[in-house]
Amino acid sequence: IDLQDVGVRVYTFVWTMALAMEACAEAGVRVVVLDRPNPIACDRREGPVLHAGFESFVGLHPVPLRHGLTCGELALWLNDVRGIACELEVIPCEGLRRRMRWHHTGLPWVMPSPNLPTVESCDVYPGMVLVEGTNLSEGRGTTRPFELIGAPYLDAHAFTERINEHGLPGVRFRPCHFEPTFQKHAGTMCGGTQLHISDAETFEPIRTAVALLSAAKQLAPAAFAWTTPPYEYEEVLPPIDMLWGHDGLRSGVDTGATVDEIMRGVDTELTDFGDSVARFLLYE
C-alpha cells in the first residue's frame, strides 16, 4: 500500500487501505505499507471524532477529522486497537519528524487528486471539506478549490465581514466573486470569500469552517441549505453528518449555536484518541 494521504478522516485513501487490510486478514495475505509524510504535519489534531452510527466511506472508524497521523501509524492502530489483525509491516519514512510540513521535506508536491492541487489546498481542506455538505460552493470548478467559498445568494462583503468578527488565527479573508466551471453553481457568479493562510502553524481550519457555515446560515437563512443523500455510497445519512462525524454541527448551526458551543467536547475526544494511538507513533 503506497498512498499519499492528506491527514484528514474524510479523505478516502485511508479507508481503502483499511478495507484492503481487512481483505488481506481474511485471505491470509501479508500487508506492507510504504509510509509517506502527512503534508499538514503530525503534531496537531483537530475536530470531532467519528461517532458510532455515522460510519461511511468517508469515515469507517472513530478517528478525528484532522487525525495527526501518517498512513503507516493509522494502519498500526487499525490493525491492533480496531482488530483488523492482518500480518502487517510498515516501512517508515527516513528522517521524518512530527512537526514537518510538506515544505520541510524538500519533496515536490504531486497532487493526490484533482481538487488538492497545492499544499495550500491541503492546509485548508480539513475544515473546508465540510462545505461539501452544504449548497455553498467549496471552489470546485475553480483553480483554488477549498480556498474559495461562496454562493450566488451571498453578499461577498457582508459574508467576509461576518467571518472576520471571529478573529480567527492564522488566516485572512478577502471578499471575492468567482464562477465555477463545473459542480455546484457551475456557470453562475458566486459571492463569497477567499482564505489566505498567513500562519499555517496557528491556523485552525475546522474552527474556521464552523465560523464560515454559521455566517452563511445567519446571513441567508432561507437560501442556505444542507445537501441531501446520496453521498459517497450512503443513501440515508445527511452528508454533513458523515463529514463532521455526528449531527452536532448541523443541529448547532441550525439553532444558532456559537462556534465554541458547537466545538464543545472536542478537546476531550482528541485527548482520548491521542492516548489510544500513542504507542503506534513512528516519528518524534
Side-chain angles (χ1 to χ4, degrees):
I1 297 174
D2 183 13
L3 294 169
Q4 180 57 61
D5 184 44
V6 296
V8 183
R9 186 215 313 134
V10 300
Y11 201 65
T12 58
F13 286 9
V14 293
W15 307 124
T16 298
M17 177 182 73
L19 293 171
M21 290 169 61
E22 290 177 6
C24 288
E26 184 176 344
V29 174
R30 179 168 169 257
V31 176
V32 178
V33 176
L34 305 182
D35 211 6
R36 289 185 178 221
N38 182 334
I40 57 175
C42 292
D43 60 335
R44 288 172 58 192
R45 299 188 180 97
E46 293 181 67
V49 170
L50 178 75
H51 289 194
F54 292 87
E55 296 87 353
S56 71
F57 191 50
V58 291
L60 291 174
H61 291 270
V63 171
L65 195 46
R66 178 178 181 174
H67 53 66
L69 302 171
T70 64
C71 270
E73 292 172 335
L74 186 58
L76 292 168
W77 178 77
L78 289 168
N79 206 44
D80 187 300
V81 176
R82 301 300 294 171
I84 293 180
C86 66
E87 183 185 352
L88 175 66
E89 179 182 3
V90 175
I91 308 299
C93 299
E94 293 183 1
L96 186 64
R97 298 291 183 267
R98 304 208 72 77
R99 290 183 59 84
M100 281 185 173
R101 307 183 74 81
W102 192 265
H103 67 273
H104 294 132
T105 68
L107 299 170
W109 177 250
V110 179
M111 58 185 185
S113 53
N115 284 293
L116 290 176
T118 66
V119 176
E120 289 76 19
S121 55
C122 293
D123 286 334
V124 299
Y125 180 73
M128 297 309 110
V129 68
L130 296 168
V131 179
E132 289 187 10
T134 76
N135 66 349
L136 296 167
S137 169
E138 64 275 10
R140 290 178 185 266
T142 76
T143 58
R144 307 302 292 187
F146 301 108
E147 295 176 61
L148 294 171
I149 308 297
Y153 56 79
L154 282 178
D155 178 290
H157 290 274
F159 184 48
T160 303
E161 287 176 8
R162 183 64 61 93
I163 299 163
N164 279 329
E165 292 173 0
H166 292 273
L168 295 159
V171 61
R172 296 178 180 179
F173 302 93
R174 180 183 64 85
C176 65
H177 293 82
F178 60 92
E179 185 176 312
T181 59
F182 57 83
Q183 292 209 0
K184 293 179 196 170
H185 310 304
T188 303
M189 189 64 67
C190 295
T193 197
Q194 181 174 358
L195 284 75
H196 297 271
I197 307 303
S198 56
D199 183 358
E201 298 294 332
T202 61
F203 175 54
E204 300 177 44
I206 295 166
R207 175 173 288 273
T208 299
V210 174
L212 283 162
L213 298 184
S214 296
K217 174 73 173 184
Q218 292 163 7
L219 291 172
F224 175 86
W226 307 106
T227 54
T228 56
Y231 177 76
E232 292 289 351
Y233 314 109
E234 169 61 44
E235 302 287 339
V236 177
L237 289 172
I240 192 63
D241 295 359
M242 296 161 58
L243 292 164
W244 186 250
H246 56 83
D247 62 1
L249 174 59
R250 177 169 53 89
S251 62
V253 170
D254 283 347
T255 58
T258 66
V259 173
D260 284 340
E261 288 169 341
I262 292 171
M263 299 290 290
R264 186 172 295 153
V266 166
D267 287 347
T268 299
E269 293 182 345
L270 294 176
T271 298
D272 292 344
F273 181 78
D275 292 342
S276 179
V277 300
R279 61 193 171 99
F280 305 104
L281 302 185
L282 298 173
Y283 310 100
E284 296 180 358

